[in-house]
Amino acid sequence: GAFSVRTHAGTVNREVGLVGKNVPDPKTGKLRFMSWVNEPVNMDIDSFEMTDDIRRAMTKFQPSTSQSPMDKCLEIARDMSANVTHIYGRDLLHVAYDLVWHSILSFKIGDMLVQKGWLEMAVVGDTRTGKSEVGTRLVSHYRSGVLQSCEGMSFPGLVGGVQQIDGRWHMTWGVIPMNDRRMVILDEVSGLKEKDVIEQMSSVRSSGIAQVTKISAEETSARTRLAWIMNPGAVLDQTWSSK
C-alpha cells in the first residue's frame, strides 16, 4: 500500500507524483510506501493548446471541395487499413472507431451547452472479423486509449465498488472512471459476470458521473469514450439504454 502524509485534495482519476520511501509496517512487517510529496502531474491532455501551426497541419484531415465529409472519412480509413491496422474490407469499422476516438466532450448549440459530446459504440460481429484487432492497433498507433478484456469482470470492475483492506473499507474505482476524458475499448463483453451491467451503467453513460453508494456515497467524473466489442449472442444477453 501507499500512504501520503501530505494532504492533496485531488480527484481520484487524476495522476499524481509521489516522493517517499518504503518502510516496514510495525504490525505485519510488510513494506509500506510512505510519501511526503503528493503533487498532481500535468498531463498532455491538460497542457495542450491549439496553435496556428497545429491548425494548419490539421487541414489535411478536412475534405476537399470535391469531397463529402464521409468520403474523407473513408479515405482516412483506407489509409489506416493499409498502413496501420492491416485489416482490410472494414472501412466503416475504421470510420466508427475514429469518430468515437476523436469525439469532443461537450459543445454548444447557440447558447445551450450540450454536456455529453463524447460518443460510444457497440461493435457486433463474429469471431475473427477484425473487431478487436482494429482497436488494438489504433491504441498503439494513437498512443492513447485502453483495451480492456471483460472476461470475468463485474460492475465494480467497470465502474467501481468497495473492498476491505486490512479491516478497513476502501473505495476502488473501475476502468471507466479511471480513464475519464479518454478512450476505453471493452473487449469480450459476453464475458461479463452479470447480464445487466450495461443497463446498470445507464446513468454513468448519460451523465458522465460515476456514483457508487455502498458504505458511503462516492462519485467522480467518467466522461469516457467507449467501444463495446461483442458477438451477436451477447447482444441478446444485455439490455441497452437509448441514452
Side-chain angles (χ1 to χ4, degrees):
F3 299 88
S4 176
V5 295
R6 176 179 175 180
T7 300
H8 165 60
T11 57
V12 297
N13 43 20
R14 177 72 184 269
E15 294 192 18
V16 297
L18 302 176
V19 177
K21 69 175 183 178
N22 282 322
V23 296
D25 188 304
K27 293 183 179 180
T28 64
K30 295 180 179 179
L31 289 177
R32 305 290 191 187
F33 184 81
M34 302 296 294
S35 168
W36 57 83
V37 175
N38 177 356
E39 296 177 343
V41 176
N42 198 24
M43 307 296 290
D44 290 344
I45 195 172
D46 300 310
S47 59
F48 174 80
E49 290 185 9
M50 178 62 72
T51 65
D52 290 337
D53 289 341
I54 294 175
R55 186 177 291 106
R56 281 191 293 268
M58 290 296 177
T59 58
K60 66 178 64 178
F61 298 107
Q62 296 176 357
S64 64
T65 54
S66 60
Q67 278 184 313
S68 68
M70 189 61 186
D71 288 338
K72 186 63 178 182
C73 287
L74 291 172
E75 177 189 309
I76 295 171
R78 288 190 290 270
D79 177 63
M80 288 292 187
S81 178
N83 299 296
V84 177
T85 67
H86 304 294
I87 302 295
Y88 303 97
R90 297 285 181 268
D91 289 349
L92 288 178
L93 179 59
H94 285 75
V95 171
Y97 267 118
D98 255 2
L99 290 176
V100 176
W101 224 296
H102 297 97
S103 56
I104 59 177
L105 295 179
S106 61
F107 59 92
K108 280 188 174 182
I109 299 179
D111 294 331
M112 182 180 68
L113 176 66
V114 179
Q115 293 285 358
K116 182 180 179 181
W118 67 94
L119 300 177
E120 63 179 301
M121 69 174 179
V123 183
V124 183
D126 294 327
T127 304
R128 308 304 302 170
T129 54
K131 306 186 304 298
S132 303
E133 288 84 352
V134 171
T136 301
R137 292 167 192 176
L138 287 177
V139 166
S140 177
H141 177 68
Y142 288 140
R143 289 182 293 176
S144 72
V146 173
L147 189 141
Q148 173 69 53
S149 174
C150 292
E151 289 287 350
M153 186 173 280
S154 59
F155 180 83
L158 289 175
V159 178
V162 293
Q163 60 178 331
Q164 195 171 28
I165 303 175
D166 295 336
R168 295 182 178 181
W169 291 98
H170 296 269
M171 182 68 211
T172 302
W173 292 107
V175 64
I176 293 176
M178 290 303 292
N179 284 279
D180 177 47
R181 301 184 295 169
R182 296 176 173 85
M183 172 81 174
V184 174
I185 301 172
L186 297 167
D187 198 8
E188 301 293 346
V189 173
S190 58
L192 288 170
K193 283 185 178 180
E194 301 100 341
K195 298 305 180 184
D196 61 346
V197 170
I198 298 175
E199 184 179 20
Q200 294 180 56
M201 288 180 54
S202 174
S203 176
V204 179
R205 291 165 48 217
S206 61
S207 68
I209 298 175
Q211 296 177 317
V212 174
T213 306
K214 290 296 182 182
I215 303 301
S216 62
E218 301 283 351
E219 69 175 42
T220 189
S221 298
R223 297 159 295 176
T224 310
R225 303 163 179 89
L226 297 174
W228 303 80
I229 300 178
M230 60 185 72
N231 56 45
V235 179
L236 299 177
D237 293 333
Q238 293 290 342
T239 302
W240 288 83
S241 168
S242 60
K243 295 181 180 180

